[in-house]
Amino acid sequence: MILLRRQWQKLLEFLFPPETDKWLAVFRIGMGLQVVAYALFLRSDWHSLFSTTGKGLVSRELGEAIASFDSPLIPKLGWLVAFGQNVGLGEETVLSLTWACLLCMGSCLVLGLFCRPAAIIAWFLHVCAAESGGLLAYGADNFMTMALFYLMLSPLPDRYCLDSRLVKTKPTDPRLLGFWRRVLQIHLCFVYFFGGLAKLLGSGWWNGSNLWRSLIRPPFNLLSPDILVRFKYALPVLGISICLIEVGYPVFIWMKKARFFWLVCILAMHAAIGLTMGMYLFALVMIVLNLAAFGVGIRVPWHLAGGTRHSAQFLPKQQLSP
């Protein structure tokens, strides 16, 4: 009985570690920038993608019909268009207002103004856009939806946002902050482990052929084929390294001595994906998630930083125990 009680206590200490809200501020600002970047990237193609009279390769009706097969309760832009027609607004006007509202909500998150409503509205509008253009959505949309969902449930506002300066609120329970950060950490561990395991099961990542096909396929072929041919022997090494980094993530990211190295590897991997394949939104959202989950409070190994233990610090010190 005493042993069970101790194990239960350890589980509670793991799930509810005391945390400050610095990680939440990084998460909020990062996702605000993500929403702003998402809106700006789609600015010129917004009506082409989602208008019934647009020139997109895939119509909005087809994407929404496919989404309705999964569940008729999934939010879609068609809902907003239908509501706008009931109040006398045309489709083009509704789509323009939706884009402007999404951009505004991202800006509010960056500034920390009306944090919770901004996070909820940003999540809803992004789900509508992602599901209405379902055949054009990719990993960035899935992770962005997930991140905004966690953000709107997190104990906002943090102390660094404008909301906290305009309205005095009670400090958030440190254990509640720790719980939501722990949820995010565990989710990322599952994502990377099963993603890396799926890569290891095939031969494409062992011989580099998957990397080759990814880097030469339009519109991701930013690198010249001549460069890829010149470094073709490095592709298998890079493929295996990516698999090992992802599979080892849920193990080494919890080790204090290995955490900084593994975090740098995962951030470098996503930065490389963004720069070599043009997947900037995917790279940004994954970098934000990793920094919020494990980056805040991490300490640079003092012997690698070339200074003292006190000066070698990546972000403000914060307890992060496994």
Side-chain angles (χ1 to χ4, degrees):
M1 190 66 179
I2 297 178
L3 180 61
L4 290 177
R5 190 173 299 174
R6 288 179 179 176
Q7 295 301 322
W8 176 251
Q9 186 63 30
K10 289 182 179 180
L11 178 61
L12 291 179
E13 291 176 356
F14 174 78
L15 293 177
F16 296 91
E19 293 277 2
T20 68
D21 56 0
K22 293 177 182 177
W23 74 270
L24 184 57
V26 172
F27 192 28
R28 171 183 56 79
I29 295 173
M31 289 312 302
L33 293 174
Q34 177 75 22
V35 173
V36 170
Y38 177 84
L40 294 179
F41 267 84
L42 292 181
R43 179 183 179 183
S44 59
D45 300 318
W46 186 262
H47 288 276
S48 298
L49 289 173
F50 300 121
S51 176
T52 54
T53 59
K55 300 178 181 179
L57 296 176
V58 181
S59 65
R60 190 191 76 224
E61 287 86 350
L62 178 59
E64 294 179 351
I66 295 175
S68 297
F69 281 115
D70 296 329
S71 173
L73 300 178
I74 296 177
K76 296 175 279 288
L77 286 176
W79 293 5
L80 302 180
V81 173
F83 176 79
Q85 291 175 348
N86 290 332
V87 296
L89 297 177
E91 182 186 45
E92 296 292 324
T93 303
V94 172
L95 291 178
S96 297
L97 290 175
T98 302
W99 179 88
C101 187
L102 188 63
L103 180 64
C104 181
M105 293 304 103
S107 302
C108 287
L109 286 175
V110 173
L111 297 174
L113 192 61
F114 309 113
C115 294
R116 178 109 34 213
I120 295 173
I121 296 174
W123 172 82
F124 178 79
L125 294 180
H126 178 262
V127 171
C128 289
E131 295 299 329
S132 295
L135 295 179
L136 300 176
Y138 69 114
D141 294 288
N142 297 330
F143 283 106
M144 189 172 169
T145 300
M146 178 267 289
L148 288 172
F149 179 78
Y150 282 144
L151 182 62
M152 73 179 190
L153 296 180
S154 297
L156 294 167
D158 55 85
R159 76 179 79 174
Y160 303 98
C161 64
L162 290 179
D163 287 344
S164 297
R165 301 178 183 274
L166 297 176
V167 180
K168 292 184 178 180
T169 57
K170 295 182 180 180
T172 306
D173 185 356
R175 296 191 178 276
L176 183 60
L177 287 164
F179 170 76
W180 283 107
R181 191 182 192 191
R182 191 67 87 211
V183 170
L184 185 60
Q185 291 169 345
I186 295 174
H187 193 143
L188 286 180
C189 287
F190 276 105
V191 166
Y192 282 115
F193 176 75
F194 287 106
L197 185 62
K199 292 181 177 68
L200 287 174
L201 295 178
S203 61
W205 289 92
W206 293 91
N207 56 27
S209 60
N210 279 1
L211 274 178
W212 171 265
R213 286 194 293 267
S214 299
L215 293 172
I216 65 171
R217 180 181 302 172
F220 309 115
N221 54 336
L222 299 185
L223 294 179
S224 171
D226 296 335
I227 297 177
L228 297 178
V229 171
R230 189 178 305 171
F231 295 97
K232 62 181 179 180
Y233 296 108
L235 295 181
V237 177
L238 291 175
I240 296 173
S241 299
I242 291 173
C243 295
L244 295 178
I245 290 172
E246 292 188 352
V247 171
Y249 186 92
V251 176
F252 295 101
I253 201 67
W254 296 104
M255 299 181 180
K256 291 183 179 180
K257 293 184 178 181
R259 185 177 299 150
F260 175 77
F261 173 76
W262 226 258
L263 182 64
V264 170
C265 288
I266 209 74
L267 294 180
M269 181 185 76
H270 288 301
I273 291 174
L275 294 175
T276 60
M277 301 180 64
M279 300 172 66
Y280 307 114
L281 291 177
F282 176 74
L284 178 58
V285 70
M286 296 309 298
I287 289 174
V288 168
L289 286 170
N290 278 279
L291 287 179
F294 291 102
V296 176
I298 198 171
R299 293 181 65 85
V300 179
W302 68 275
H303 59 281
L304 296 178
T308 64
R309 292 178 181 268
H310 299 286
S311 62
Q313 193 169 351
F314 181 21
L315 285 173
K317 184 179 179 181
Q318 186 174 359
Q319 182 179 357
L320 182 61
S321 57

